[in-house]
Amino acid sequence: MTISLRQAAGELLVVGLGGTELTGLERAWLKLVRPGGVILFKRNIVDAAQTRALLDEATQMCAPRTVRCVDVEGGTVNRLRDALAPLPSAQAVGAAMRDLHKPTLAREFGELIARAVKVFGFNTTLAPVIDLALPEAAEVLGSRPPGANAQDVIAFARAFFAGLATQGVVGCGKHFPGLGGATGDTHFVTPEIARTWQQIWNEDLVPYRELHAEMPMVMMNHAAYPATPGGNRPASASDFWITKVLRKRIGYRGIILSDDLEMGGILKFLPVEEAAIAAVRAGSDLLEICHSAELILRSYEALVAEAERSAVFRKLLLERARSTARMRARLYAKPAPRALTAKQLDALRAQILKFRDRVAASEAAAIDPRAAAPAEIS
């Protein structure tokens, strides 16, 4: 497959949009960049018909087999809450699985989320969170992790991924290598997680080690782990964490996605141009930039310029774009499903609310995050 440097740079980007309709400026830069993916937020979503129309128009100007992604984890992170229905948190569903001895609840949860995101035209949900619910991060992560130990997280995530798969929706395990020990929020700072390599390998990374063949996509976080060989470098820009640990030691073969490169956790360490180049060098396949057209274009031009300057990086960029395109072609081979009728949409909403009621007692005991970060509410 012949591909230009500009095509290669664009295909590694997953971009956000400003509103519920494309602007003329967005149409212009989408045609220039031709990104590999689009991510929408609450600010972009009114209802299913409008969202599908927005995605359809945007992806006509993107690379083939576009990643159409949204954050629907349940609980506090659910971009479809207002447009469809609130969902219980992963922590509530995990607790209900254990308390009610119903291991199939997470599979049912995954299937409901998959059906919901498909209605709106998405093919990917950036879930589940498989961080451990450790005390250090309780106020930062809140009810997002499904359990406090690796085995509970594995049981939830395996069933959740299976539920997504029944509907042909791609899931994403996050946030590698684990935010369970984070006392700071990567939206604002680069947390320095004090856990040792042995703690991380024997606890935080166990879900990735067990489930790596079942996860189509993994998201890298922007935390640093100074007590490990990764040092003070954010994991999203670290060859140690991405290539040496995730790819080689764990053997992961799916898509590696950076968390949003606009977040303080990475921008306080590197300018966005350098962060994009560092993430590709370290081994990421896709780079999220969720809000600013300026930062999207700066990152895109930086990748192209570095490839023109360095023969080594040029070869890497072209190879990464080709391999990522092959993975997208495999994951997104089927066309978007047909829209539901109003009656079918109401039936799905009723099923979601009924499911929420079944786990409501557990959800009432879950911890909410200390403060809603912009990326969680926008």
Side-chain angles (χ1 to χ4, degrees), residues 3 18 25 60 91 132 154 189 195 212 257 297 355:
I3 185 171
L25 178 61
Q60 286 175 8
Q91 193 171 101
L132 304 183
I154 290 167
V189 298
R195 292 170 71 75
H212 68 87
L257 170 73
L297 290 168
F355 180 85

Side-chain angles (χ1 to χ4, degrees), residues 88-104:
S89 67
Q91 193 171 101
V93 175
M97 287 173 64
R98 298 184 290 275
D99 295 345
L100 305 176
H101 305 289
K102 291 188 175 180
T104 59

Side-chain angles (χ1 to χ4, degrees), residues 16 60 62-63 74 87 90 117 119 122 137 158 161 164 179 182 224 233 246 260 285 295 318 345 364 378:
Q60 286 175 8
C62 294
L87 285 153
V117 302
V119 167
F122 299 102
R158 174 168 281 137
F161 277 118
L164 295 181
L179 289 176
R233 194 169 184 82
L246 183 54
D260 186 3
D285 301 300
L295 296 186
L318 293 170
L345 191 60
S378 60

Side-chain angles (χ1 to χ4, degrees), residues 59-316:
T59 56
Q60 286 175 8
M61 293 170 270
C62 294
R65 310 297 189 191
T66 312
V67 182
R68 298 176 170 213
C69 58
V70 64
D71 289 279
V72 180
E73 302 170 7
T76 58
V77 182
N78 175 10
R79 313 299 187 218
L80 305 181
R81 172 191 293 270
D82 295 341
L84 183 60
L87 285 153
S89 67
Q91 193 171 101
V93 175
M97 287 173 64
R98 298 184 290 275
D99 295 345
L100 305 176
H101 305 289
K102 291 188 175 180
T104 59
L105 275 179
R107 182 186 177 100
E108 187 178 348
F109 188 44
E111 186 170 348
L112 279 173
I113 286 178
R115 289 172 61 196
V117 302
K118 281 172 63 178
V119 167
F120 284 74
F122 299 102
N123 56 25
T124 304
T125 180
L126 300 181
V129 169
I130 55 176
D131 302 323
L132 304 183
L134 302 178
E136 295 92 327
E139 292 187 346
V140 175
L141 292 175
S143 58
R144 298 174 69 190
N149 64 70
Q151 293 312 310
D152 286 346
V153 171
I154 290 167
F156 174 92
R158 174 168 281 137
F160 185 89
F161 277 118
L164 295 181
T166 65
Q167 299 296 311
V169 168
V170 170
C172 176
K174 60 186 188 185
H175 309 80
F176 189 92
L179 289 176
T183 56
D185 189 335
T186 54
H187 290 95
F188 308 112
V189 298
T190 309
E192 292 193 353
I193 295 176
R195 292 170 71 75
T196 65
W197 164 251
Q198 286 303 318
Q199 284 178 304
I200 294 170
W201 180 255
N202 292 326
E203 298 173 30
D204 304 70
L205 290 181
V206 173
Y208 294 96
R209 292 164 58 189
E210 291 290 323
L211 300 172
H212 68 87
E214 300 166 51
M215 293 190 290
M217 189 179 293
V218 166
M219 179 186 287
M220 300 299 305
N221 75 49
H222 299 314
Y225 301 81
T228 75
N232 293 317
R233 194 169 184 82
S236 55
S238 168
D239 171 79
F240 171 76
W241 288 113
I242 300 176
T243 297
K244 293 180 181 176
V245 177
L246 183 54
R247 282 291 190 214
K248 294 183 178 178
R249 186 155 184 178
I250 293 176
Y252 184 65
R253 294 293 176 264
I255 292 176
I256 298 176
L257 170 73
S258 79
D259 208 343
D260 186 3
L261 294 185
E262 294 187 34
M263 290 165 63
I266 188 67
L267 290 186
K268 287 183 181 296
F269 187 84
L270 289 170
V272 71
E273 296 92 341
E274 294 179 31
I277 293 166
V280 172
R281 279 207 172 104
S284 285
D285 301 300
L286 292 173
L287 316 177
E288 260 192 282
I289 308 176
C290 296
H291 295 78
S292 168
E294 178 189 350
L295 296 186
I296 291 166
L297 290 168
R298 282 166 54 186
S299 300
Y300 168 73
E301 293 294 348
L303 293 173
V304 173
E306 183 64 13
E308 290 173 340
R309 186 196 67 81
S310 164
V312 172
F313 188 78
R314 177 166 62 251
K315 181 180 179 183
L316 175 63

